C-alpha cells in the first residue's frame, strides 16, 4: 500500500445493507450507496453500531484494500444525517428503522408530505392521520417509535466510544429511559445486574471509559459479586472465601488486600453472605454466597423438612389402606403386575409426604408414576403434575391422562422472578408430582417447595445419573445422598420390553463402564469417520437426508442433534450453521432477519437462552424450544411458536435471546425426549 492509502478522508452515503456484524464488539462490514447507484456500492468497515439501513452517514476514516474483498473504506467515526431528498426520505422511512412504517407506508407518507415528511413526524405527528390507511393507533405507534429511536441514538452516540452494541444500547435505554446516560456515567456496574446481555466485563469497559479508577471500591465489589455469579453458572451455590479472593484478584488485577477489604464491606452491607459450612470431608469451610443462593438453600432445606414432618396429611386415606387389596385393584385395572421396588415406591409416595423416585431408563419410573396417580385419583385427591420443560410436561400428560404444566407456569412466575403461588398463597393440591427432577436447580426447587400446601404429598421423579441442573445446585443428588431424611426408592430392574431397545441397553452399559453394543440393534447406529470435520459433514447428511429417507422423520420436528460441546467443527455452533443451510436454506420466498452473526428464517428451529419473565403468559425460560413462524419488518418482530404451543413475539433488538437449535448441547437438552437423536462424538470432547 502507498502512503496515500492511509490519508484521512470523508465519505458521505446511504447505508444500503449489512454484510457482517459482530455483536460482541460492534465491528461491521456494510455496503453504502455514495450516489453512484445500487450497482456500484462502496464497502465500508468499522464500528457502525446503531446505524440502520436507509440512514445517511458522514464517515471519517481512511481508504484501504483487502486482499480478498478489494477496495474499502475504514470508518473511524461517523455522524448520521437526515436525508433531504424525497427518494432519500422514502428509503430512510421504509428501511424498518421506525416500528410501524414499512416500504409501502413510507411511500404513502412521502407521497403525501414530500420533503416535509420527517419534519411532520418530528414536530406534528398528529398530522400523520391525513395519510390514507393511518389511524390514530398507528400514528401514535409511529410517533412513539420516532421519539424512542431519537433517544436511543443519543445513548448510542454516548456509548459508541466504549464498543456497546446496538441491541445493548436499546436495552439500556428501555431499562433506564432518560436516565440512561446518567446511570452509565455514575453507576456503570449496575448495568451488569440490571441489563440482560451486559456482564461485568462490558460494564468494566464502560466504567474505565467514563473514568472510574481501576482500584475503586465500586469496581472491586462489583467484581466480587460477578465472580460469585459466574460460579453459579458452574453449578456452585457458594465459593470458599480463599478461592473467591484468588479468583477475584485474577479477574480484577488488583491486590488481594483490597479484595479482602471490599469483601468485608460487602458482608457488612449485606451485599453477600458469609457463613461456615461443612466442607467435602466435613472440615469447616468459610463460604461466601450471593444472598439469593443462601436464602434458597436455607429455604429449601427447612421447607422440605417442614413438609415431611407436618402433622396434617391430605392423603390420610392411604394411612390405613390394605395394600394387597389396593395393588390388586390396580393390577385389575392396568393388567400389569408391579415389581417389588415399584410397589414400595407407590406405597412410599402415598404414605410419606415427601418422596424421591429414581432409576435409569427402562426401569419402570413412568409406569410407577402412573400407578401413583391412578390410586390417588381413586381417592378423589387433587393432583398437580409438573416438569421443568414443556416437552417433559407433555410427556407426563400423555402418561397419566392428567394435565401437566411446566414448573414456571404452575407457579405463575412474574417479572423479577416472584411467584404467584408461595407460602402465603399455596397451590390447591393433595399430591404434587414433579418429573425430571434432576433439572431442578436450587432457586426453582425452593420456589416450588414454598408453594406446596402443608399436609400435601410431593413426589420427585428423576434419574440421578443425568447431568445436574443448568442452574446452581444438585438438588436431586443431595436429596438422595447418604444421611438425607427424605425417603427414596431406586428402581434398578430393566424390564424385558425395554431390553429390546439399544438406547436403554447402551445407557445402562455406559453407566456401568462397559462399551456400548451396535450389532443387532434396530434403533442404535454408529457411523465411524476419521476426523471432526468429517463427523460434522456426516451429521448433516444423516439428519437432512438419510434419516428422512429411511425412517420418514421430519429433520426439524423429529430429529435433534446433541453435542457435548458448543465449539469445534462438530460443536453446536458450526453444526447449526450447516444444518440451517441444509434444512432451512435461504430462498426468495423465505423471510429472514440478520442479527449479529446469525440469520433467522421462517421455519428455523430455535431455543430461548435466558429466563425472560416478561414474555408470554407466564414467561419464557432458558431451554424452551420453538420454531420461527413469522418475520414482520414493519412491526420489527419475529414470531416463535414454542414447544408449549404458545406464540411469542420478539422485537428485532431481542433476538440475542434466541439461538438456533438444530444442534444443542447435551446439557441444554436434558429432560427432553425426541423421536430421533444424532450425537457426533469426537475425541476433542
Amino acid at each position: 500500500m502507498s502512503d496515500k492509502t492511509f490519508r484521512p478522508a470523508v465519505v458521505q452515503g446511504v447505508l444500503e445493507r449489512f454484510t457482517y456484524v459482530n455483536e460482541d464488539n460492534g465491528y461491521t462490514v456494510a455496503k453504502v450507496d455514495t450516489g453512484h447507484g445500487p450497482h456500484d456500492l462502496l464497502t465500508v468497515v468499522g464500528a457502525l453500531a446503531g446505524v440502520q439501513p436507509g440512514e445517511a452517514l458522514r464517515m471519517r476514516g481512511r481508504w484501504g484494500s483487502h486482499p480478498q474483498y478489494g477496495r474499502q473504506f475504514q470508518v473511524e467515526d461517523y455522524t448520521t444525517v437526515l436525508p433531504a431528498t424525497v427518494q432519500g426520505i422514502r428509503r430512510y422511512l421504509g428501511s424498518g428503522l421506525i416500528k410501524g412504517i414499512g416500504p409501502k407506508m413510507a411511500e404513502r407518507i412521502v407521497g403525501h408530505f414530500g420533503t416535509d415528511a420527517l419534519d411532520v413526524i418530528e414536530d406534528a405527528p398528529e398530522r400523520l392521520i391525513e395519510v390514507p390507511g393511518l389511524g390514530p393507533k398507528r400514528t401514535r405507534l409511529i410517533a412513539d417509535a420516532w421519539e424512542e429511536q431519537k433517544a436511543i441514538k443519543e445513548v448510542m452516540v454516548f456509548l459508541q466510544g466504549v464498543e456497546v452494541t446496538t441491541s445493548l444500547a436499546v436495552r439500556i435505554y428501555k431499562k433506564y429511559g432518560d436516565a440512561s446516560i446518567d446511570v452509565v456515567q455514575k453507576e456503570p456496574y449496575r448495568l451488569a445486574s440490571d441489563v440482560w446481555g451486559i456482564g461485568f466485563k462490558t460494564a468494566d469497559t464502560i466504567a474505565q471509559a467514563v473514568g472510574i479508577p481501576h482500584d475503586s471500591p465500586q469496581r472491586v465489589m462489583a467484581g466480587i459479586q460477578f465472580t460469585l455469579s459466574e460460579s453459579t453458572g458452574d453449578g456452585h451455590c457458594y465459593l470458599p472465601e480463599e478461592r473467591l479472593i484468588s479468583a477475584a484478584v485474577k479477574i480484577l488485577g488488583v491486590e488481594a488486600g483490597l479484595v479482602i477489604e471490599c469483601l468485608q464491606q460487602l458482608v457488612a452491607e449485606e451485599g453477600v453472605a458469609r457463613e461456615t459450612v461443612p466442607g467435602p470431608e466435613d472440615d469447616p469451610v468459610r463460604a461466601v454466597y450471593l444472598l439469593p443462593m443462601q436464602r434458597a438453600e436455607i429455604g429449601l432445606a427447612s421447607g422440605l423438612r417442614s413438609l415431611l414432618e407436618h402433622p396434617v396429611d391430605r392423603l390420610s386415606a392411604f394411612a390405613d389402606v390394605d395394600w394387597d387389596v389396593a395393588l390388586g385393584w390396580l393390577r385389575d385395572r392396568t393388567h400389569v403386575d408391579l415389581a417389588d421396588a415399584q410397589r414400595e415406591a407407590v406405597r412410599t409416595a402415598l404414605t410419606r409426604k415427601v418422596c424421591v423416585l429414581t432409576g435409569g431408563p427402562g426401569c419402570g419410573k413412568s409406569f410407577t408414576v402412573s400407578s401413583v396417580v391412578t390410586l390417588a385419583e381413586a381417592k378423589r385427591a387433587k393432583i398437580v403434575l409438573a416438569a421443568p420443560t414443556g416437552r417433559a410436561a407433555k410427556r407426563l400428560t400423555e402418561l397419566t391422562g392428567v394435565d401437566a404444566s411446566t414448573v414456571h407456569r404452575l407457579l405463575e412466575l412474574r417479572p423479577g422472578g416472584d411467584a404467584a403461588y408461595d407460602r402465603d398463597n399455596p397451590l390447591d393440591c393433595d399430591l404434587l408430582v414433579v418429573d425430571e427432577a434432576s433439572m431442578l436447580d436450587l432457586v426453582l426447587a425452593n420456589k416450588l417447595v414454598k408453594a406446596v400446601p402443608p399436609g400435601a404429598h410431593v413426589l420427585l421423579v428423576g434419574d440421578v445419573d443425568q447431568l445436574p441442573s443448568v442452574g446452581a445446585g444438585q438438588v436431586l443428588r443431595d436429596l438422595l445422598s447418604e444421611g438425607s431424611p427424605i425417603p427414596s426408592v431406586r428402581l434398578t430392574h430393566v424390564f424385558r420390553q425395554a431390553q429390546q431397545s439399544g438406547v436403554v441397553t447402551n445407557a445402562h452399559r455406559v453407566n456401568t463402564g462397559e462399551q456400548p453394543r451396535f450389532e443387532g440393534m434396530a434403533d442404535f447406529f454408529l457411523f465411524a469417520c476419521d476426523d471432526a470435520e468429517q463427523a460434522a459433514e456426516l451429521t448433516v447428511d444423516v439428519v437432512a437426508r438419510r434419516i428422512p429417507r429411511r425412517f420418514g422423520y421430519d429433520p426439524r420436528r423429529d430429529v435433534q442433534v446433541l453435542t457435548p460441546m458448543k465449539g469445534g467443527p462438530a460443536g453446536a455452533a458450526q453444526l447449526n450453521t450447516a444444518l440451517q443451510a441444509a434444512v432451512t436454506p435461504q430462498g426468495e420466498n423465505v423471510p429472514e432477519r440478520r442479527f449479529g452473526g446469525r440469520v433467522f428464517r421462517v421455519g428455523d428451529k430455535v431455543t430461548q437462552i435466558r429466563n425472560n419473565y416478561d414474555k408470554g403468559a407466564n414467561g419464557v425460560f432458558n431451554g424452551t424450544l420453538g420454531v420461527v413462524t413469522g418475520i414482520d419488518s414493519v412491526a420489527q418482530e419475529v414470531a416463535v411458536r414454542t414447544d408449549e404451543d404458545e406464540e411469542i413475539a420478539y422485537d428485532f433488538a431481542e433476538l440475542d435471546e434466541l439461538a438456533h437449535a438444530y444442534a444443542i448441547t447435551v446439557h441444554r437438552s436434558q429432560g427432553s425426549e425426541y423421536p430421533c437423536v444424532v450425537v457426533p462424538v469426537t475425541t476433542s470432547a
Side-chain angles (χ1 to χ4, degrees):
M1 283 185 189
S2 66
D3 290 343
K4 187 180 176 185
T5 309
F6 293 94
R7 280 204 304 238
V10 175
V11 169
Q12 290 197 188
V14 175
L15 181 71
E16 284 291 320
R17 65 177 182 273
F18 292 115
T19 305
Y20 170 78
V21 181
N22 184 321
E23 278 297 318
D24 293 329
N25 60 22
Y27 180 80
T28 302
V29 180
K31 295 289 188 181
V32 170
D33 183 354
T34 55
H36 297 102
H39 301 297
D40 189 14
L41 300 178
L42 170 66
T43 300
V44 299
V45 299
L48 290 170
V51 181
Q52 297 290 339
E55 289 193 82
L57 306 178
R58 188 174 190 276
M59 298 165 286
R60 194 174 62 81
R62 299 171 190 272
W63 290 102
S65 181
H66 189 280
Q68 186 177 349
Y69 302 113
R71 185 169 177 264
Q72 56 188 27
F73 189 72
Q74 296 165 354
V75 180
E76 291 172 359
D77 63 51
Y78 70 89
T79 54
T80 57
V81 184
L82 289 178
T85 66
V86 165
Q87 186 180 354
I89 293 169
R90 187 187 300 119
R91 174 81 177 85
Y92 179 69
L93 287 178
S95 67
L97 179 73
I98 306 301
K99 188 180 280 194
I101 302 179
K104 289 180 181 173
M105 187 52 68
E107 191 86 40
R108 286 189 207 161
I109 292 171
V110 176
H112 188 81
F113 295 112
T115 53
D116 294 332
L118 298 182
D119 293 332
V120 169
I121 297 172
E122 170 82 36
D123 301 320
E126 67 280 356
R127 284 192 60 202
L128 288 171
I129 203 165
E130 298 171 18
V131 178
L134 267 182
K137 187 177 176 183
R138 186 98 166 270
T139 299
R140 204 160 42 247
L141 172 71
I142 292 168
D144 291 346
W146 178 267
E147 285 302 315
E148 185 175 287
Q149 185 63 32
K150 275 198 332 185
I152 290 170
K153 196 69 86 185
E154 285 174 25
V155 176
M156 278 307 310
V157 169
F158 177 74
L159 295 176
Q160 207 174 16
V162 291
E163 297 185 343
V164 173
T165 62
T166 315
S167 58
L168 294 186
V170 170
R171 288 217 173 95
I172 290 170
Y173 178 77
K174 285 189 174 175
K175 179 69 182 175
Y176 305 118
D178 293 339
S180 297
I181 293 173
D182 201 45
V183 170
V184 169
Q185 282 180 317
K186 295 175 182 171
E187 303 174 88
Y189 292 103
R190 270 181 66 186
L191 302 175
S193 55
D194 289 355
V195 182
W196 153 251
I198 295 185
F200 173 78
K201 289 174 184 174
T202 304
D204 200 31
T205 303
I206 295 169
Q208 288 177 48
V210 297
I212 289 177
H214 190 69
D215 59 355
S216 155
Q218 178 189 355
R219 176 176 184 264
V220 176
M221 286 192 281
I224 290 169
Q225 290 174 308
F226 166 73
T227 306
L228 286 171
S229 179
E230 283 287 280
S231 75
T232 65
D234 295 327
H236 301 303
C237 304
Y238 69 84
L239 282 181
E241 186 172 9
E242 286 182 13
R243 189 166 155 190
L244 169 63
I245 291 166
S246 64
V249 164
K250 191 173 177 182
I251 287 168
L252 293 162
V254 296
E255 296 293 324
L258 179 58
V259 173
I260 292 166
E261 278 178 39
C262 289
L263 176 58
Q264 301 280 25
Q265 190 176 337
L266 269 174
V267 172
E269 294 173 0
E270 297 190 342
V272 298
R274 183 167 54 190
E275 64 171 291
T276 302
V277 300
E281 294 174 8
D282 287 334
D283 297 326
V285 171
R286 272 164 71 89
V288 184
Y289 290 82
L290 289 172
L291 283 181
M293 288 298 158
Q294 187 202 37
R295 288 171 182 156
E297 193 168 78
I298 293 169
L300 178 58
S302 61
L304 284 168
R305 189 175 288 278
S306 174
L307 287 175
L308 195 61
E309 297 172 352
H310 199 275
V312 173
D313 189 347
R314 294 176 71 137
L315 290 180
S316 57
F318 289 99
D320 303 316
V321 82
D322 184 325
W323 283 102
D324 287 336
V325 172
L327 293 171
W329 175 85
L330 184 66
R331 184 178 59 243
D332 292 342
R333 276 197 65 146
T334 61
H335 309 295
V336 177
D337 209 357
L338 292 175
D340 289 345
Q342 289 178 301
R343 291 175 179 223
E344 182 194 349
V346 170
R347 277 197 302 270
T348 307
L350 294 171
T351 57
R352 301 295 300 274
K353 296 192 194 75
V354 183
C355 170
V356 177
L357 172 63
T358 190
C363 290
K365 290 195 306 294
S366 297
F367 191 74
T368 305
V369 170
S370 178
S371 300
V372 169
V373 169
T374 300
L375 284 168
E377 281 183 315
K379 296 292 186 184
R380 292 192 167 83
K382 292 177 182 173
I383 303 163
V384 170
L385 306 181
T389 67
R391 279 173 175 260
K394 272 184 182 174
R395 197 175 66 241
L396 195 53
T397 300
E398 291 160 5
L399 173 72
T400 61
V402 176
D403 282 343
S405 71
T406 62
V407 175
H408 299 91
R409 280 186 185 280
L410 175 67
L411 299 177
E412 293 182 17
L413 291 179
R414 297 164 172 168
D418 291 331
Y421 293 96
D422 55 18
R423 199 165 283 120
D424 298 325
N425 180 36
L427 297 163
D428 183 18
C429 67
D430 304 318
L431 170 66
L432 170 63
V433 180
V434 184
D435 199 8
E436 298 295 351
S438 64
M439 295 182 68
L440 290 176
D441 62 33
L442 181 65
V443 172
L444 186 59
N446 180 45
K447 290 181 194 294
L448 182 64
V449 166
K450 270 187 190 173
V452 179
H457 287 224
V458 178
L459 173 60
L460 299 171
V461 185
D463 183 352
V464 74
D465 293 323
Q466 291 270 19
L467 288 166
S469 57
V470 175
Q474 42 184 20
V475 174
L476 186 66
R477 191 175 293 275
D478 287 346
L479 294 180
L480 289 164
S481 63
E482 193 177 338
S484 167
I486 306 297
S488 63
V489 179
R490 182 162 193 157
L491 306 179
T492 56
H493 173 70
V494 181
F495 288 93
R496 192 170 57 211
Q497 62 269 34
Q499 290 173 7
Q500 312 306 311
S501 164
V503 175
V504 171
T505 300
N506 285 327
H508 286 278
R509 287 179 70 86
V510 169
N511 259 358
T512 56
E514 298 177 77
Q515 290 282 352
R517 281 209 330 255
F518 304 103
E519 301 79 27
M521 298 288 181
D523 62 349
F524 203 95
F525 307 93
L526 173 69
F527 299 91
C529 53
D530 292 332
D531 57 36
E533 283 84 0
Q534 200 178 341
E537 289 171 15
L538 185 56
T539 298
V540 174
D541 188 42
V542 166
V543 171
R545 287 172 279 280
R546 298 194 199 186
I547 288 173
R549 194 168 57 228
R550 170 84 179 272
F551 298 103
Y553 283 135
D554 182 291
R556 258 183 306 223
R557 186 185 63 242
D558 302 324
V559 184
Q560 183 61 58
V561 177
L562 302 182
T563 72
M565 295 162 50
K566 288 181 186 173
Q574 291 201 34
L575 278 173
N576 268 317
T577 302
L579 285 162
Q580 183 194 36
V583 176
T584 315
Q586 187 177 22
E588 251 183 65
N589 300 317
V590 181
E592 62 178 45
R593 171 71 185 182
R594 178 176 289 279
F595 187 91
R598 296 196 292 269
V599 176
F600 293 96
R601 296 188 186 117
V602 170
D604 267 342
K605 189 175 184 178
V606 293
T607 182
Q608 175 82 9
I609 59 173
R610 68 168 287 226
N611 289 345
N612 187 333
Y613 299 96
D614 298 320
K615 286 210 159 296
N618 295 112
V620 185
F621 300 94
N622 191 355
T624 299
L625 289 172
V627 174
V628 175
T629 55
I631 297 175
D632 187 333
S633 58
V634 176
Q636 296 186 21
E637 288 180 345
V638 170
V640 174
R641 183 157 289 281
T642 70
D643 55 6
E644 295 176 56
D645 211 29
E646 184 178 13
E647 192 90 10
I648 305 290
Y650 290 82
D651 281 349
F652 285 170
E654 297 175 319
L655 289 178
D656 55 352
E657 294 188 20
L658 292 175
H660 290 102
Y662 299 98
I664 57 178
T665 60
V666 175
H667 214 152
R668 184 167 284 282
S669 76
Q670 73 181 82
S672 295
E673 284 187 356
Y674 312 95
C676 184
V677 171
V678 178
V679 186
V681 179
T682 64
T683 51
S684 60

